[in-house]
Amino acid sequence: MEKVDLKSMDVAALQGEITQLKKELFNLRMGMMTAQVKDTSHIGKVKVRIAQAMTFLNQKKNSSK
């Protein structure tokens, strides 16, 4: 998903996306502990996506006030 896609989402969709990304991050961390994850750079990419989604969510919440 691109940054443009995140920007066009509404608040509820962004919250759902953040929840999904946090679950993915959890699963990647568990996979690291059991040596199932080969591409460790994916964890950093997921963290960046979470930060981007949270930024857009906060922008939308603050602009509605």
Side-chain angles (χ1 to χ4, degrees):
M1 188 173 283
E2 297 291 319
K3 236 194 258 190
V4 176
D5 297 335
L6 287 174
K7 199 171 197 177
S8 64
M9 288 181 164
D10 62 340
V11 173
L14 281 170
Q15 289 173 338
E17 182 71 18
I18 291 169
T19 303
Q20 176 191 357
L21 288 168
K22 285 185 177 183
K23 286 180 184 178
E24 183 179 350
L25 181 61
F26 175 79
N27 290 333
L28 285 170
R29 285 182 176 160
M30 290 300 117
M32 286 288 296
M33 289 182 187
T34 59
Q36 293 175 349
V37 175
K38 301 288 186 222
D39 184 16
T40 58
S41 69
H42 192 62
I43 292 174
K45 292 174 187 174
V46 172
K47 285 181 179 182
V48 168
R49 298 292 300 158
I50 292 170
Q52 288 172 342
M54 290 179 78
T55 299
F56 288 124
L57 179 65
N58 286 331
Q59 286 176 351
K60 289 191 185 273
K61 283 183 177 181
N62 290 335
S63 68
S64 66
K65 289 182 179 180

